[in-house]
Amino acid sequence: MTMVLWLVLIAAMLPVMCAGLAKYGSKEFDNHNPREWMTRLEGWRARANAAQSNTFEALPFFFIAVALAVYTNAPLEKLHMLMIAWLLARLAYVWFYIRDKSTLRSIVWALGVGLSIAILFAGRT
């Protein structure tokens, strides 16, 4: 069960990672008004910020799917495997988003949704 908690924590940190990437190395960052500053980003930084938003949007379904999988006594090995696959898909999603690979980004986005669904039903063996 501890592994599930660590994987949930890692998932929760994905948007923070994306925000950090968007801000990384910028000399003009405005910490007094960071949201307005981020709306003016361009290029890969803007895409990192967009990946942050999408990652926040993907988390509720993932979290609820994990909670219900635990509630329905999904086999932990199966749950761990699906959660790790989801995390890898989301990392690939962020990478493809930042690198402006829209088709690959869409494919791994769909994979992530499919993995959330698989997690949701992991307890139904």
Side-chain angles (χ1 to χ4, degrees), residues 75-92:
L76 284 179
E77 301 79 23
K78 180 179 183 180
L79 183 55
H80 294 162
M81 180 198 63
L82 290 169
M83 290 176 73
I84 290 167
W86 185 89
L87 284 167
L88 292 173
R90 290 306 302 183
L91 286 169

Side-chain angles (χ1 to χ4, degrees), residues 3 15 114:
M3 178 72 140

Side-chain angles (χ1 to χ4, degrees), residues 5-93:
L5 298 175
W6 280 110
L7 293 171
V8 164
L9 178 61
I10 292 167
M13 293 296 105
L14 287 176
V16 176
M17 177 196 71
C18 293
L21 289 170
K23 297 172 186 175
Y24 177 74
S26 177
K27 304 286 190 236
E28 304 88 30
F29 178 67
D30 180 4
N31 200 38
H32 295 283
N33 200 351
R35 291 182 187 237
E36 182 181 323
W37 177 83
M38 290 183 92
T39 63
R40 294 190 304 267
L41 294 175
E42 296 178 349
W44 71 269
R45 291 180 196 281
R47 291 189 298 275
N49 187 40
Q52 172 193 201
S53 296
N54 185 273
T55 301
F56 271 125
E57 294 162 3
L59 285 175
F61 184 22
F62 174 75
F63 289 155
I64 288 179
V66 170
L68 289 171
V70 169
Y71 177 76
T72 59
N73 295 312
L76 284 179
E77 301 79 23
K78 180 179 183 180
L79 183 55
H80 294 162
M81 180 198 63
L82 290 169
M83 290 176 73
I84 290 167
W86 185 89
L87 284 167
L88 292 173
R90 290 306 302 183
L91 286 169
Y93 173 86

